[in-house]
Amino acid sequence: MADTNAVDFSKVVLILGNFVGADGILDWSDNSRFHFNPSANTAGMSWKGGQSNEQELKPPFLRLVMGEDLFDPAGWVLGSHHDSDICDLQIAKTNQTGISRQACRVDISPHTHRPRVTRLSDRAIRIHGQATIPVKRGLPQELQGPVIIDLGAVKFRAWTPERTAAETARYKERARSYSKDIMGSLPKRLPSILSHDETSAEYVRYGANNAVYVVEGQGMQGKGAHASVMKVKNVSTGEFFGAKEPFYKISDNADTARKRFEALRMEYMHIKHLDHPHIVKAFDLVVAEDLTLPPWMIVEYIPLNLGEALPGLDKSERLIVMSHLGSALSYMHARGVTHRDLKPENALVIKRQTELTVKVADFGTSKQNESAKMDTFTGTEIYMAPELFNRPRLYTNKIDMWALGLIGMQLFTNWDPDIDDRWDPNDFRTWVCEVALPEIAKAPAFLQPMIKGLLQKMPERRWSSWKCLKWLWKHEPTDSPHETFEPNMDNKTGIKRPASRDTALLQTDKNNRYRRSPNPSLSTARVHVTESQTDESLPNTASPDFREPSALSTASTPRIDDTVLGLDSRDDDQSSSTDTDLEDWQE
């Protein structure tokens, strides 16, 4: 059964051993092809991967060799299915053990060339190394060193062998070739009969249902840190879409091309799973026939962003902007997704006569996580929360709320981030006390507590998106916005609500306070924040005092404490000084 040929460690991706719960594994399916006998195939101890002699390694041993014994170039599939065309390595007799037919995939990272594990099913998988890491479905987890891969009924040890300098060089070369094979194996759709033969391959992609996406006009419509967005036309239907194209160079190697594709695919999957009226929709992910050209993500075509639209927005529309952004963030955060780059340029605006809709876009830096703790430095600096500049860096989805507070300040005061020369990430205290607080004082009185609550120094004291929505609903106009607000020519937003109007609003009969306005108002966001979170429909006239949607209390992201979603007693005490003042910056 053992292979008598010497093993070339420049080809070996991973060695498996110390199986628990998989007695007789070599006799299942075609598993014998993975068998590895160290004594017959190696000289020395390099196969142990640097593990000490105190670490007992128990046979049988299996090894995954680059480019061998895998049905799909994407990687080796491990699970309980007996058909090796479906499951490359069978690690359980049947799925009755709790191991799915296709439980996980092992492949090679294009970033580091380390082996990775990706969960393919709903069944939990944990990796025990220096720390225990839960593997999230669809998110590859790199193996930093020797680990135990725990699938519940079956556990096994996994490690990489030690390589000489020459073996390491050959391994990296083969890993890049592996990336090229992966990119070459991506499914490509055939050109439609409606394709424009004269169109350069650089400006056309073929999608599902005979879609032919061709760049319209001058091409690029918007440009971000990592990608540009073009207006494209599906010549098969005449519809217009946006196409997000990552930046690229023809000279990029296969690893770079694969990293680019995986990042765009991850963003596409994030958006596809976030079905919400105030989050941009994604329709397709299409690759080019020429592997040197980047893929496109086909999305809604919305050419206007909030930064561009802001000067033309009136007072009531600016409130709607805050409501729609808060609605989208509530939905995202309840599902464990943090945007991490919220700013006006990433909020798209649709204006149709008296109707205004805002949609959050650009999820290229978004993060879905189990622990709610992140440490990557990412985003647009002036909208980044203070904790992103701390050492050690550790933050939660409350960084999105800080950014929302700055957007609120931008909407309702004279603050302009483009000309703010006082902002200093090394001295937030001075900036908050000498710039932010004086500007917030210019906002409508009823909005000041909310903006201050969003700019709290301590993330756990910062308002949640749900709390912001309740605040906005509580103070929304009951009739025409023009009757509720009075213009103030000294303020560029032209918004001013006298304290007497606030008092009158709060003392009004509840049914009258929340009746449907004949004009566009914040009430349209009430259904939007809950319609995908609960089976019960929420009428537009519902009071903000009703119970919080159950999905918000059972979100996949664990809370730091109850204040993360504003569920503690302070959440209903909107006048609390700890919520509405920024004295922690002044201490």
Side-chain angles (χ1 to χ4, degrees):
M1 185 182 296
D3 183 0
T4 58
N5 296 321
V7 174
D8 181 357
F9 286 145
S10 69
K11 294 182 179 180
V12 176
V13 176
L14 203 60
I15 298 175
L16 313 178
N18 291 37
F19 284 90
V20 176
D23 295 338
I25 188 172
L26 291 178
D27 298 326
W28 301 340
S29 186
D30 293 329
N31 287 355
S32 59
R33 59 187 173 164
F34 295 101
H35 186 223
F36 168 57
N37 186 341
S39 61
N41 290 274
T42 64
M45 308 301 289
S46 58
W47 68 275
K48 288 190 174 182
Q51 298 177 85
S52 67
N53 291 331
E54 286 74 26
Q55 173 61 57
E56 185 180 5
L57 299 178
K58 301 177 182 179
F61 300 113
L62 309 180
R63 84 276 187 270
L64 305 181
V65 177
M66 203 176 303
E68 295 182 11
D69 303 321
L70 69 170
F71 180 75
D72 187 331
W76 295 269
V77 174
L78 283 59
S80 60
H81 205 286
H82 64 275
D83 187 345
S84 59
D85 285 352
I86 297 175
C87 179
D88 298 295
L89 177 59
Q90 187 179 1
I91 58 174
K93 287 285 284 185
T94 70
N95 65 340
Q96 298 303 311
T97 60
I99 308 297
S100 301
R101 292 179 174 88
Q102 293 182 310
C104 63
R105 176 187 294 112
V106 175
D107 72 341
I108 305 170
S109 166
H111 297 267
T112 63
H113 297 151
R114 293 191 185 106
R116 307 185 299 186
V117 175
T118 303
R119 197 177 104 199
L120 302 179
S121 73
D122 292 331
R123 303 282 186 173
I125 297 177
R126 290 179 174 82
I127 295 176
H128 305 290
Q130 292 183 342
T132 296
I133 302 173
V135 181
K136 192 165 183 64
R137 184 173 182 175
L139 297 180
Q141 179 63 52
E142 283 192 18
L143 306 184
Q144 304 289 340
V147 298
I148 294 174
I149 299 177
D150 182 358
L151 293 91
V154 174
K155 303 176 185 178
F156 53 89
R157 194 165 184 83
W159 67 93
T160 57
E162 282 189 320
R163 303 184 180 92
T164 65
E167 286 173 336
T168 298
R170 292 200 302 272
Y171 175 81
K172 290 182 177 180
E173 183 179 350
R174 289 189 169 106
R176 284 190 290 269
S177 178
Y178 171 80
S179 287
K180 185 175 181 180
D181 291 341
I182 293 290
M183 294 304 295
S185 70
L186 294 175
K188 300 177 180 65
R189 300 182 176 100
L190 296 174
S192 164
I193 58 174
L194 298 175
S195 175
H196 290 186
D197 293 335
E198 69 277 8
T199 302
S200 168
E202 185 177 356
Y203 300 107
V204 64
R205 300 288 187 275
Y206 304 104
N209 302 317
N210 289 324
V212 182
Y213 300 106
V214 178
V215 174
E216 183 77 6
Q218 300 300 313
M220 186 174 67
Q221 302 289 315
K223 185 176 181 180
H226 307 287
S228 59
V229 178
M230 303 173 292
K231 180 181 181 181
V232 298
K233 181 179 181 180
N234 180 358
V235 297
S236 302
T237 64
E239 296 176 281
F240 291 103
F241 296 90
K244 183 171 183 176
E245 178 184 83
F247 296 143
Y248 73 101
K249 295 182 292 186
I250 296 295
S251 59
D252 289 338
N253 62 34
D255 278 341
T256 302
R258 186 169 159 230
K259 285 186 284 188
R260 188 168 52 221
F261 173 76
E262 288 188 356
L264 193 65
R265 179 173 61 186
M266 187 64 64
E267 180 180 2
Y268 174 72
M269 295 307 297
H270 274 165
I271 299 176
K272 289 293 288 184
H273 291 153
L274 295 173
D275 184 14
H276 189 271
H278 300 303
I279 295 176
V280 70
K281 295 188 181 301
F283 302 104
D284 206 351
L285 184 63
V286 293
V287 297
E289 288 291 320
D290 185 348
L291 293 181
T292 63
L293 298 175
W296 290 354
M297 180 170 64
I298 306 301
V299 298
E300 291 180 272
Y301 178 64
I302 307 175
L304 187 66
N305 67 49
L306 179 58
E308 298 163 334
L310 194 149
L313 297 180
D314 64 28
K315 45 207 171 186
S316 60
E317 289 172 330
R318 293 176 187 232
L319 282 173
I320 293 172
V321 168
M322 289 296 289
S323 180
H324 287 188
L325 292 178
S327 179
L329 290 177
S330 285
Y331 180 88
M332 290 164 49
H333 291 175
R335 281 151 181 78
V337 177
T338 304
H339 190 279
R340 302 205 298 180
D341 194 18
L342 189 67
K343 58 183 178 179
E345 289 72 22
N346 288 338
L348 304 182
V349 177
I350 304 170
K351 291 192 72 173
R352 295 191 182 98
Q353 297 178 345
T354 60
E355 181 182 355
L356 176 75
T357 302
V358 180
K359 297 196 176 194
V360 176
D362 197 346
F363 285 75
T365 60
S366 64
K367 179 77 170 179
Q368 184 165 9
N369 63 316
E370 295 277 0
S371 67
K373 303 291 182 66
M374 294 159 275
D375 60 11
T376 305
F377 185 79
T378 188
T380 301
E381 281 203 344
I382 200 165
Y383 291 95
M384 291 166 68
E387 56 267 32
L388 278 156
F389 298 92
N390 290 342
R391 295 290 187 276
R393 185 182 301 113
L394 194 65
Y395 59 89
T396 69
N397 61 25
K398 285 299 186 76
I399 64 169
D400 286 345
M401 304 317 300
W402 175 276
L404 183 65
L406 291 183
I407 291 174
M409 199 165 77
Q410 193 171 349
L411 285 168
F412 296 105
T413 76
N414 294 313
W415 181 68
D416 185 346
D418 293 333
I419 60 174
D420 184 349
D421 57 1
R422 302 285 304 280
W423 182 84
D424 183 355
N426 297 314
D427 189 4
F428 271 96
R429 179 183 178 277
T430 297
W431 180 82
V432 169
C433 295
E434 297 183 5
V435 177
L437 279 173
E439 284 297 325
I440 294 171
K442 301 175 185 177
F446 77 100
L447 285 174
Q448 291 180 27
M450 183 185 74
I451 298 175
K452 290 179 180 179
L454 290 169
L455 299 183
Q456 290 286 315
K457 179 180 181 180
M458 303 303 293
E460 61 270 20
R461 296 175 65 182
R462 204 170 293 155
W463 282 22
S464 68
S465 51
W466 175 245
K467 185 168 183 175
C468 289
L469 279 177
K470 289 205 295 181
W471 185 266
L472 290 166
W473 293 343
K474 182 177 182 178
H475 293 281
E476 74 170 336
T478 56
D479 294 303
S480 168
H482 300 290
E483 295 177 8
T484 307
F485 297 99
E486 296 178 5
N488 177 357
M489 300 310 294
D490 295 330
N491 190 322
K492 70 176 181 180
T493 64
I495 305 177
K496 182 178 180 181
R497 169 178 275 192
S500 59
R501 292 306 268 290
D502 286 344
T503 303
L505 181 61
L506 291 173
Q507 294 175 346
T508 304
D509 176 77
K510 187 173 292 187
N511 291 331
N512 288 331
R513 277 171 54 196
Y514 301 111
R515 68 177 183 270
R516 184 70 176 260
S517 169
N519 296 307
S521 74
L522 305 183
S523 60
T524 58
R526 292 181 183 163
V527 172
H528 296 165
V529 74
T530 57
E531 63 183 1
S532 298
Q533 301 178 16
T534 177
D535 293 331
E536 300 176 0
S537 60
L538 175 66
N540 281 357
T541 54
S543 164
D545 295 325
F546 73 90
R547 66 175 178 85
E548 188 167 0
S550 59
L552 292 179
S553 61
T554 58
S556 58
T557 302
R559 314 286 180 246
I560 300 174
D561 55 44
D562 285 342
T563 63
V564 171
L565 279 180
L567 297 179
D568 63 344
S569 60
R570 290 185 305 161
D571 191 58
D572 292 323
D573 182 14
Q574 307 290 12
S575 63
S576 170
S577 62
T578 58
D579 279 341
T580 60
D581 291 340
L582 296 178
E583 73 280 356
D584 54 348
W585 286 109
Q586 298 169 325
E587 294 171 354

